[in-house]
Each structure stands twice: as structure tokens, then as C-alpha cells.
Amino acid sequence: MSSSEMREPTFLVLAALADGRKHGYAVITEVAGLSSGRVTLRPGTLYAALDRLREEGLVRPAGEEVVDGRLRRYYELTDAGAESLATEAARLQSNADQAVRRLRLRLGPATGGGVA
């Protein structure tokens, strides 16, 4: 894997934060939803990833609050994080577009392509 490629859990964490700040459990829930349940993050894994992404300048802390006696830490995407997410989304989209084109060629015009 090249240094420009992003692992799927990282991509999904950044995508979960793309529409605004979230606390850890909300990120876990959002990642599960974005991946249709394929990616399930445990709290320890998420917070290790958030610490790494913070060190890389892709996310930043965005406040804390106590809810039902428990501390919630919020995180948000930085501009660099949004740029990194956009770059990776474009790379993945390009790869998917190429795969779809090749599948259409394989299937041929007689079948109408069969691929959306």
C-alpha cells in the first residue's frame, strides 16, 4: 500500500466527522452506518485512531461535556483532514469508475452493460 492510500477505518472516521463534530460513540455508530455494518470500531481502536489523526493534523478536539455522569470528548475534522478525505474519496471514485468501465467492456453491448 502506498503512503497516499488510506485504510478503510481511517477513511470512515474522517467521513463520519465530515458533517460536523461528534463524540466517540457517535463516531463508532456513524462508521458502522457508513460501512453498512462491515466496519465495527471498538472504543480503544477508535481513540487510538483519533490520537493518531490528531497528531497528523487531520482531526482536533472540539470540546467536552459530561452527560449522565460520563465525559464525552468531541472531535472535528480540520481543513487538512477534509482535504485528505476529499483526495482519498476521489482516488476511490476513480478506481471504482475504472472497474465499472472494464466490467461494461467485459459484458459487451449485447447485454446493455448490466452495470450502473
Side-chain angles (χ1 to χ4, degrees):
M1 176 166 51
S2 79
S3 62
S4 64
E5 292 176 349
M6 187 181 289
R7 297 187 75 136
E8 185 177 23
T10 299
F11 178 82
L12 292 169
V13 168
L14 294 178
L17 293 170
D19 62 351
R21 77 181 196 132
K22 291 183 179 62
H23 58 81
Y25 183 74
V27 172
I28 289 171
T29 302
E30 189 82 8
V31 164
L34 289 169
S35 69
S36 299
R38 286 181 302 99
V39 177
T40 304
L41 296 176
R42 294 181 177 272
T45 302
L46 172 67
Y47 287 106
L50 288 169
D51 285 344
R52 180 180 51 80
L53 293 170
R54 185 182 44 76
E55 289 172 7
E56 293 173 3
L58 302 179
V59 302
R60 66 177 158 241
E64 301 180 336
E65 68 180 342
V66 176
V67 177
D68 296 329
R70 299 192 62 159
L71 180 65
R72 283 188 177 170
R73 289 192 176 103
Y74 288 83
Y75 296 86
E76 65 186 3
L77 210 54
T78 63
D79 290 343
E83 184 177 324
S84 184
L85 177 61
T87 298
E88 182 66 2
R91 185 188 73 79
L92 293 170
Q93 184 65 57
S94 176
N95 288 346
D97 290 347
Q98 290 295 330
V100 168
R101 276 194 278 285
R102 288 174 182 255
L103 283 168
R104 284 188 181 134
L105 290 173
R106 179 180 188 270
L107 295 173
T111 64
V115 177

